Amino acid sequence: MQYDSRTTVHVTRHPRVFEIAVRGEVDYDECDLLQAAWAEAEETALPVTVVDLSGVTFGDSALLNALLDARRRHSAAGRELVLLGPLHQAIRRLLTVTGTLEHFTVTDSRSAALRLDQP
């Protein structure tokens, strides 16, 4: 049996920010893609990690657990984790219903998230 995933995870290193851009649907089957990106973000250890979720149309508890784990690790290391939107209503609902939205820094401004307005 062959599995065809339309989910993509792309990473970009900026001077002070590690960016993870996720597109598609994220459930248990796609979390390995996200885990590889988290590992690279931790290895790079830039002050800020931005997770661009603007292209994610579905996420389940696997996505939520990955985000919460990344938030915990970033906080413990004194690093910042920012979610970049706009968040699809399914993702916003996931974070709202679980009571976790307020635990994340969320912005719809790419320049603010990537600190493009700072030297």
Side-chain angles (χ1 to χ4, degrees):
M1 178 186 212
Q2 188 174 9
Y3 179 72
D4 181 28
S5 175
R6 297 192 196 287
T7 302
T8 62
V9 176
H10 180 75
V11 298
T12 306
R13 293 180 194 179
H14 301 278
R16 296 184 61 243
V17 178
F18 189 87
E19 180 181 12
I20 302 170
V22 187
R23 302 287 179 260
E25 298 181 355
V26 181
D27 59 17
Y28 178 80
D29 292 327
E30 284 80 22
C31 265
D32 58 335
L33 297 170
L34 201 49
Q35 294 302 336
W38 293 135
E40 192 172 342
E42 284 191 18
E43 182 180 306
T44 306
L46 291 172
V48 179
T49 300
V50 171
V51 183
D52 181 351
L53 296 175
S54 63
V56 177
T57 57
F58 172 81
D60 66 5
S61 61
L63 173 62
L64 179 62
N65 287 331
L67 291 172
L68 290 171
D69 185 52
R71 182 190 170 281
R72 181 187 55 77
R73 289 179 181 208
H74 277 71
S75 181
R79 297 170 50 225
E80 186 178 1
L81 179 69
V82 177
L83 305 183
L84 176 60
L87 299 177
H88 187 275
Q89 76 179 43
I91 303 306
R92 185 167 294 280
R93 185 179 319 115
L94 173 69
L95 296 173
T96 301
V97 168
T98 58
T100 56
L101 181 62
E102 63 200 36
H103 297 283
F104 291 99
T105 300
V106 181
T107 183
D108 291 348
S109 169
R110 182 173 175 75
S111 63
L114 297 179
R115 310 303 200 258
L116 297 177
D117 51 0
Q118 297 178 2

